[in-house]
Amino acid sequence: MAFASYNSKSGFSVGSRTVLRLDRPLTVSSMKPVAPSPLPFASAATRTKSASSLQRRSSVGSLKTGKDDSGVPGRVRVAVRLRPRNAEEQIADADFADCVELLPELKRLKLRKNNWDCETYQFDEVLTETASQKRVYEVVAKPVVESVLEGYNGTVMAYGQTGTGKTFTLGRIGEEDCADRGIMVRAMEDILADISPEHDTVTVSYLQLYMESVQDLLAPERDNIPIVEDPKTGDVSLPGATLVELKDQQNFVQLLQTGENNRIASNTKMNTESSRSHALLLVHVKRSAKSKQEKDLVIPQENGNGVQLSKGHRAPTIRKSKLLIVDLAGSERVDKSGSEGHQLEEAKAINLSLTALGKCINALAESSPHVPTRDSKLTRLLRDSFGGTARTSLIITIGPSPRHRAETASTILFGQRAMKVENMLKLKEEFDYKSLCRRLEADLDRLIAENERQSQAVLESEEEMERRLEEARIIVVEAESRLSAALETLAEERRKHQQENKETLQKVEVERAEMERFEQKLKKNVQDLQDQKEKQTFAEKEKHQKALVELEEKYNQELSNVKQILETERAHREKLENELKELLKKAEETTKEESLRTERAKEDELQKLKQQLEKEHLLREQAECELKKIEQQHKKTNGIIQDNEDSSILRQKVEQELQEKEKLEEEVRALKQQLLQLHIEAEESKRTLEKASSTRSSVCSDSHISINRPSNMRDTINGQRATIAKLFEQVGLHKILSLLQSEDVDVRVHAVKVVANLAAEEGNQEKIVEAGGLGSLLMLLQSSEDETIRRVAAGAIANLAMNETNQELIMAQGGIGLLARTADDAEDPQTLRMVAGAIANLCGNEKLQIKLREEGGIRALLGMVRSRHPDVLAQVARGIANFAKCESRGSGQGNRIGRSLLIDDGALPWIVANANNEASPIRRHIELALCHLAQHEVNAKDLVAGGALWELIRISRECSREDIRTLAQRTLNASPTFQAELKRLHVVY
């Protein structure tokens, strides 16, 4: 923990904030000293009541507050905090040990008299030089703040020698590091977090006691503010002091900064910014309190009876408490501080006020009947803090230097005496009768208006009921007349229905007799028909059996012919497979030969293979025609022999023949795929040779041995390229692109690989785009679920994205959105590398930067760092470098203003974290991106806040590339923001 800047005073102006001036005195505390009997703590409402009113209300016995005036005893808590050695002490006292030794676990402190003797003191808390500001607040001030929120007064005060860290402990704002926030800022954070803005209020005054004159730090023109004491209650008030109501923490920080700027400080030998006045922060908290035992109020009337009010009409209880935080000026010895002239007068005033405070503490500690609180304005303002009704915490600050042992011993003794002081804590509550009166009047007006509305509604409802009753009477008379007429009509219809039922029953009996005669005749006819059908069926069965035998013989003959044809085709297929294998072997051998005659022979063999495949296709068509004829004949015979038991055997044979036909078709398709595989393998062998040649060349360059590439290797590569070009011309680009829509996954995989290899050459890119290849690749990227297809398609798009015209087409067809979705879904590092490469190429186009960011390109690029694969990170870094370079170019030409889009999208933390990455490709791109971002002055503040300044300094000194190192040096020298930050941090560049 460092105390190097605990006295720094810089802040903000108050601005347009409303500053209130009180017409009534500002209450500081109840100034009654400790006495055998407790101080009265009457509420404000009680003090304003007349004697007659109190007598009348007490006779009813319903307005008692229920609060006891007796307080709760509470001793002053004292904590000691040790400041670490500063630079001067480390040099001057290098050969001497610290004059104090802390035992924080035992809450004790040892003060050394010499090398063999020491004195031990016990405190409520012992804080070492490494104690954080948060721990100091929680130990010293947080219990006091919690008491203030409960309705008690509280005081937090710092006492110690000048330069020991009192202002750092209490008034540190913590703008640069939030961990350095002092007790004032942290206490206000807890208070504002606990109160309700709708019902509670918090007001603040900030004063200083300078040369026995009370001055307002929020309004410096108000000085020599008088201190007024209430003769009845003993409360101290400051008329004319500025009182500001707080709404949020930022408002308080600005007020505190304004007060620190107005506080008087000067440079002495003991402290470069020594406070020359006592600072007092007064925080008034007014909260509404809920009573635990609520009783209904009874309002007396003239006849002696009382009207009991509901729970909603009880008088609200409010609690008024105040928090006093005192930053005392440091005690000093003139011979050590070197004060002279006006500083000497200031030191006298400070020491006199601190001496008066010490006398009061001694008197209270020794239970003296007289406490000299009127010897100084400081003791008058602190009457409630020592021996009063406030909960008080004192933190004494000391230094480790043995040169100041006397001052340290004096401070420790002051804390020991303060621990003996007892306060009587009291809770201050009062009833808010004005609020209750306003609420009752509003309820009365509301009830009167509601009564009038209800009376009018009752009259209207009575009239409506009479009208409806008359209408109901008329409706009942009409209904009775209609009912009598309907009863007469129903009786007449009943008679008619009975007559019709009798006639219908007679007709049904006649029809039933006729039906029985018809059924007997029908049974006789059915028996005759069955006998006749049996005779005809027996004759037809014999005839069908004869026809079946003839058809079976004919079908067997045709089936044997088909089998012979299939055997011939199978043998021919095996021959073609052997020829294909030989062709593949020859194709591999041709990659190692240099003559062009082998290529021509290969073309001839391919031509012959195509002719053989055409013949095979014709044979397959003939076989299909014969099978169709057999199927037609089978369908004809199937209708005849469907009832025959032997037809199942023939049906099985036909199904077997159909299966063999399908196998034959699959074999033909396999031959076509093998032809396509031949082209793909030729492409793969080409890439293998290129990789091998690049590997050999890199090995040769690393070993510094000059080896010429063999002539046969160059001829082999040239032959491969010629073979690919001829295959490309023979098969056709449209045919290859059509295979991208094939239902077979393997065919699509090989086709997209061929397209990716073709897209690697600049001469083929325009043809692929004109033929619709870009749209097909984007469609594959969108619809395919195969990881290999998506990876190769992304690689092909990355190759096409190297052309500026193609980049605009990719953006126009929604390519960046598809790439972003692929990046979100993919987990394979190689797929992510291809997608990141495509987006990185698009980042190099200055015209597309806005659209690229809007469609999620930057977000997708940053999202791919989750894989942590070096190749993926290298592509991401390249994309960020391209984007930053285009932004820098646009800013330099005046085409772009404002902060970098990369910083807006949150890329800066990752850039700073990887600026010194172990992988050189990643580090090189990130260093270049940082330099380009730093060239635009509007990004400088964000770069400083993100820690990029130190990386720029490292790049300017340690980067291996001279051009990047020079660019970083030029950027640092040209930026006013960077130069100001380096000067502030005392960094020599």
Side-chain angles (χ1 to χ4, degrees):
M1 180 177 188
F3 284 77
S5 58
Y6 58 84
N7 281 329
S8 62
K9 295 176 171 58
S10 59
F12 304 91
S13 61
V14 178
S16 58
R17 186 178 295 101
T18 303
V19 179
L20 303 177
R21 183 183 178 110
L22 293 179
D23 294 332
R24 61 180 178 83
L26 176 65
T27 302
V28 177
S29 59
S30 298
M31 290 301 179
K32 290 285 185 179
V34 174
S37 61
L39 292 173
F41 196 71
S43 63
T46 306
R47 290 196 303 269
T48 57
K49 294 183 177 67
S50 63
S52 60
S53 177
L54 288 174
Q55 185 177 5
R56 183 177 67 255
R57 293 176 184 268
S58 61
S59 63
V60 178
S62 61
L63 294 179
K64 292 183 179 180
T65 62
K67 299 296 180 182
D68 189 5
D69 288 338
S70 63
V72 178
R75 179 178 58 82
V76 175
R77 291 181 54 83
V78 180
V80 60
R81 186 181 192 185
L82 177 64
R83 171 182 60 77
R85 288 192 176 190
N86 53 32
E88 180 184 356
E89 292 172 348
Q90 290 177 358
I91 297 173
D93 301 335
D95 298 332
F96 300 96
D98 293 347
C99 65
V100 293
E101 180 184 355
L102 302 184
L103 301 174
E105 63 278 0
L106 300 177
K107 298 183 180 179
R108 293 179 181 174
L109 178 146
K110 290 184 178 181
L111 179 64
R112 290 191 178 92
K113 292 183 177 181
N114 45 46
N115 292 335
W116 57 87
D117 191 13
C118 62
E119 296 177 351
T120 303
Y121 299 94
Q122 184 79 27
F123 287 95
D124 293 311
E125 193 68 37
V126 175
L127 302 170
T128 64
E129 63 272 16
T130 60
S132 64
Q133 291 282 77
K134 182 179 179 181
R135 170 164 171 73
V136 173
Y137 169 73
E138 291 178 348
V139 169
V140 177
K142 191 168 185 178
V144 178
V145 174
E146 292 175 350
S147 297
V148 170
L149 292 173
E150 292 175 359
Y152 297 93
N153 293 342
T155 302
V156 178
M157 187 172 70
Y159 179 89
Q161 183 187 6
T162 181
T164 55
K166 297 183 296 300
T167 304
F168 178 85
T169 302
L170 295 182
R172 184 71 169 181
I173 297 177
E175 292 180 343
E176 299 177 358
D177 188 358
C178 62
D180 288 343
R181 292 170 299 163
I183 289 176
M184 292 183 181
V185 178
R186 295 178 184 269
M188 193 54 61
E189 287 179 354
D190 286 352
I191 292 174
L192 293 177
D194 191 74
I195 66 169
S196 173
E198 298 177 356
H199 306 93
D200 306 336
T201 59
V202 177
T203 55
V204 172
S205 295
Y206 198 16
L207 309 169
Q208 71 173 354
L209 180 60
Y210 176 68
M211 300 284 289
E212 286 300 310
S213 173
V214 180
Q215 300 177 359
D216 196 335
L217 291 176
L218 301 181
E221 66 276 3
R222 300 178 185 177
D223 56 356
N224 201 14
I225 299 174
I227 301 176
V228 180
E229 296 184 12
D230 190 339
K232 294 181 180 180
T233 63
D235 291 341
V236 176
S237 59
L238 298 170
T242 302
L243 192 66
V244 180
E245 183 176 354
L246 295 182
K247 297 299 181 182
D248 53 26
Q249 182 67 14
Q250 186 63 29
N251 187 4
F252 173 72
V253 171
Q254 292 178 1
L255 288 175
L256 190 61
Q257 188 65 55
T258 301
E260 288 296 323
N261 292 338
N262 294 328
R263 189 177 178 185
I264 298 174
S266 62
N267 184 9
T268 66
K269 293 181 180 180
M270 299 289 293
N271 192 356
T272 56
E273 291 188 14
S274 176
S275 300
R276 313 308 292 172
S277 64
H278 306 299
L280 297 91
L281 177 68
L282 284 79
V283 182
H284 297 264
V285 181
K286 181 179 179 182
R287 307 189 68 182
S288 58
K290 296 182 179 179
S291 178
K292 295 183 179 178
Q293 297 180 351
E294 295 181 348
K295 297 181 179 179
D296 293 341
L297 297 179
V298 179
I299 299 177
Q301 293 183 346
E302 295 178 356
N303 57 7
N305 298 326
V307 178
Q308 186 175 0
L309 299 181
S310 63
K311 292 184 178 180
H313 294 150
R314 296 189 183 95
T317 304
I318 59 174
R319 292 179 178 178
K320 293 182 179 180
S321 58
K322 50 184 150 305
L323 172 64
L324 178 61
I325 301 177
V326 184
D327 180 14
L328 295 176
S331 61
E332 62 182 47
R333 296 179 63 178
V334 177
D335 57 344
K336 292 184 178 181
S337 63
S339 300
E340 58 184 11
H342 186 65
Q343 285 187 356
L344 181 59
E345 297 299 325
E346 293 175 341
K348 290 179 180 179
I350 292 172
N351 291 333
L352 285 175
S353 61
L354 294 177
T355 302
L357 178 61
K359 290 180 180 179
C360 293
I361 297 294
N362 291 337
L364 291 170
E366 297 172 357
S367 299
S368 174
H370 172 68
V371 179
T373 57
R374 294 186 174 275
D375 290 355
S376 172
K377 290 186 178 180
L378 177 62
T379 55
R380 293 177 65 191
L381 293 172
L382 296 178
R383 282 182 60 182
D384 194 45
S385 302
F386 293 96
T389 62
R391 183 186 295 276
T392 302
S393 286
L394 172 66
I395 179 169
I396 60 173
T397 58
I398 60 176
S401 176
R403 293 180 297 162
H404 308 302
R405 183 189 177 282
E407 290 81 354
T408 302
S410 175
T411 303
I412 293 173
L413 293 176
F414 180 87
Q416 289 290 306
R417 290 191 294 271
M419 290 177 64
K420 300 178 182 179
V421 177
E422 289 282 347
N423 291 351
M424 188 64 65
L425 310 183
K426 292 186 178 181
L427 184 67
K428 185 177 180 181
E429 288 187 349
E430 60 185 40
F431 289 136
D432 191 359
Y433 291 104
K434 293 182 180 180
S435 175
L436 176 62
C437 182
R438 289 193 297 269
R439 190 165 59 191
L440 291 174
E441 290 177 353
D443 289 345
L444 180 61
D445 294 339
R446 178 180 56 80
L447 291 174
I448 291 173
E450 185 67 24
N451 186 27
E452 292 179 354
R453 287 193 294 270
Q454 290 180 357
S455 300
Q456 183 65 25
V458 168
L459 294 175
E460 293 178 354
S461 61
E462 289 178 354
E463 294 177 356
E464 182 67 17
M465 289 296 294
E466 291 178 357
R467 184 181 60 79
R468 289 184 179 181
L469 182 60
E470 186 65 26
E471 292 178 354
R473 290 173 182 171
I474 296 172
I475 292 171
V476 167
V477 172
E478 294 177 353
E480 289 176 351
S481 61
R482 288 197 299 270
L483 180 61
S484 59
L487 290 174
E488 294 176 357
T489 304
L490 286 173
E492 183 65 26
E493 290 179 354
R494 184 180 297 172
R495 289 193 294 272
K496 290 182 180 179
H497 287 316
Q498 289 177 355
Q499 185 66 27
E500 290 177 356
N501 286 336
K502 290 180 181 179
E503 295 176 355
T504 302
L505 288 174
Q506 293 176 0
K507 292 180 181 180
V508 168
E509 291 294 333
V510 174
E511 291 178 355
R512 183 181 296 172
E514 294 179 354
M515 184 64 70
E516 289 177 355
R517 291 194 299 271
F518 178 75
E519 286 179 356
Q520 292 176 359
K521 187 185 292 186
L522 183 61
K523 288 180 180 179
K524 184 178 180 180
N525 293 334
V526 169
Q527 187 65 33
D528 296 339
L529 288 173
Q530 287 179 351
D531 296 339
Q532 186 178 0
K533 186 175 181 181
E534 288 178 357
K535 295 178 181 180
Q536 291 178 356
T537 302
F538 182 75
E540 290 178 354
K541 185 175 181 181
E542 292 180 350
K543 184 178 179 180
H544 288 164
Q545 287 178 352
K546 293 179 181 180
L548 181 62
V549 172
E550 294 176 357
L551 287 172
E552 185 175 359
E553 292 176 354
K554 183 178 180 181
Y555 180 76
N556 289 334
Q557 183 65 29
E558 292 178 352
L559 187 61
S560 61
N561 294 334
V562 171
K563 288 182 178 179
Q564 292 177 0
I565 294 171
L566 291 175
E567 290 293 335
T568 304
E569 291 179 350
R570 188 177 292 107
H572 189 61
R573 180 179 60 80
E574 292 177 355
K575 181 180 179 182
L576 290 175
E577 289 179 353
N578 294 330
E579 290 178 356
L580 282 173
K581 291 179 180 179
E582 292 176 359
L583 287 174
L584 291 173
K585 292 179 180 179
K586 291 179 181 180
E588 293 177 356
E589 294 174 357
T590 52
T591 59
K592 300 178 181 180
E593 297 177 359
E594 63 179 359
S595 62
L596 297 176
R597 292 191 301 273
T598 307
E599 295 178 3
R600 296 176 181 174
K602 182 179 177 182
E603 293 177 1
D604 295 337
E605 290 176 357
L606 289 174
Q607 190 66 28
K608 290 179 181 180
L609 180 60
K610 288 183 179 180
Q611 293 176 0
Q612 291 176 357
L613 287 174
E614 291 177 357
K615 291 179 181 179
E616 184 70 22
H617 183 66
L618 293 175
L619 292 174
R620 184 178 63 81
E621 290 180 352
Q622 292 176 1
E624 289 177 354
C625 292
E626 292 179 358
L627 288 174
K628 287 180 180 178
K629 292 179 181 179
I630 294 172
E631 288 176 358
Q632 291 176 358
Q633 294 176 0
H634 172 65
K635 289 179 181 179
K636 293 178 181 179
T637 57
N638 190 25
I640 298 173
I641 63 174
Q642 60 183 355
D643 296 329
N644 197 327
E645 296 177 355
D646 298 332
S647 63
S648 61
I649 299 173
L650 183 61
R651 188 178 295 108
Q652 292 177 358
K653 292 180 179 180
V654 173
E655 290 177 354
Q656 291 177 357
E657 293 297 329
L658 290 175
Q659 292 176 358
E660 291 180 358
K661 172 192 171 185
E662 292 176 356
K663 290 181 179 179
L664 183 60
E665 292 176 350
E666 291 178 357
E667 291 173 353
V668 173
R669 287 195 297 269
L671 290 174
K672 289 184 177 180
Q673 291 179 0
Q674 289 176 0
L675 177 61
L676 180 60
Q677 184 68 23
L678 178 61
H679 294 286
I680 295 170
E681 289 176 353
E683 291 292 334
E684 292 179 350
S685 62
K686 169 194 170 183
R687 291 198 303 272
T688 303
L689 289 173
E690 289 179 348
K691 290 180 180 179
S693 62
S694 63
T695 304
R696 294 191 188 96
S697 63
S698 63
V699 170
C700 294
S701 61
D702 292 339
S703 58
H704 303 284
I705 300 175
S706 177
I707 300 177
N708 294 326
R709 180 180 295 179
S711 60
N712 58 351
M713 182 65 71
R714 291 196 299 271
D715 296 336
T716 300
I717 294 174
N718 294 332
Q720 285 290 339
R721 290 179 178 175
T723 302
I724 293 171
K726 289 181 180 180
L727 289 174
F728 174 65
E729 293 175 357
Q730 290 175 2
V731 178
L733 180 59
H734 290 282
K735 180 64 176 177
I736 295 173
L737 294 177
S738 65
L739 293 175
L740 296 176
Q741 309 299 328
S742 175
E743 297 180 356
D744 192 345
V745 177
D746 294 334
V747 174
R748 290 203 305 272
V749 169
H750 294 310
V752 74
K753 286 182 178 179
V754 171
V755 175
N757 289 330
L758 292 174
E761 297 185 7
E762 186 176 359
N764 298 330
Q765 293 180 359
E766 185 177 357
K767 297 178 182 178
I768 293 173
V769 174
E770 290 178 354
L774 178 59
S776 300
L777 290 171
L778 293 174
M779 180 112 15
L780 268 180
L781 198 63
Q782 179 181 8
S783 60
S784 178
E785 297 180 356
D786 187 85
E787 190 69 25
T788 304
I789 293 177
R790 293 199 298 176
R791 179 176 66 253
V792 179
I797 294 172
N799 290 335
L800 294 176
M802 291 188 292
N803 184 284
E804 184 175 355
T805 305
N806 296 341
Q807 292 174 357
E808 297 178 357
L809 292 175
I810 291 172
M811 295 294 289
Q813 296 183 20
I816 188 61
L818 294 176
L819 290 170
R821 284 194 292 272
T822 304
D824 293 339
D825 298 338
E827 296 295 337
D828 181 35
Q830 298 304 321
T831 303
L832 292 175
R833 180 174 66 88
M834 295 298 181
V835 174
I839 297 177
N841 291 336
L842 294 173
C843 287
N845 193 326
E846 182 179 350
K847 302 177 183 178
L848 306 176
Q849 283 197 324
I850 303 274
K851 190 173 182 182
L852 180 70
R853 187 234 184 174
E854 290 176 351
E855 296 186 6
I858 302 302
R859 179 190 58 78
L861 200 63
L862 295 175
M864 285 184 282
V865 302
R866 68 181 185 275
S867 70
R868 299 184 179 179
H869 195 277
D871 294 341
V872 179
L873 296 181
Q875 294 298 328
V876 172
R878 183 171 68 89
I880 291 175
N882 289 342
F883 198 93
K885 183 178 180 181
C886 290
E887 280 191 332
S888 177
R889 188 188 305 117
S891 299
Q893 296 174 356
N895 298 330
R896 189 184 182 283
I897 58 175
R899 193 169 68 166
S900 171
L901 299 178
L902 290 173
I903 298 177
D904 290 342
D905 280 358
L908 185 57
W910 185 84
I911 293 173
V912 174
N914 290 271
N916 198 12
N917 197 290
E918 295 179 357
S920 59
I922 301 174
R923 184 174 65 254
R924 184 176 68 253
H925 290 308
I926 292 299
E927 289 175 348
L928 189 60
L930 265 180
C931 292
H932 285 305
L933 287 174
Q935 283 185 326
H936 197 25
E937 184 65 20
V938 74
N939 301 328
K941 291 184 179 179
D942 294 302
L943 293 175
V944 171
L949 177 58
W950 302 110
E951 294 299 332
L952 285 171
I953 294 174
R954 182 192 60 78
I955 294 169
S956 66
R957 295 174 178 174
E958 301 175 4
C959 183
S960 57
R961 286 185 50 176
E962 184 178 358
D963 55 342
I964 298 178
R965 189 166 64 250
T966 304
L967 181 60
Q969 294 172 356
R970 188 168 62 249
T971 302
L972 287 172
N973 292 329
S975 174
T977 303
F978 292 157
Q979 290 297 320
E981 183 66 15
L982 292 174
K983 185 177 180 181
R984 188 184 69 83
L985 297 174
H986 305 291
V987 176
V988 179
Y989 177 73

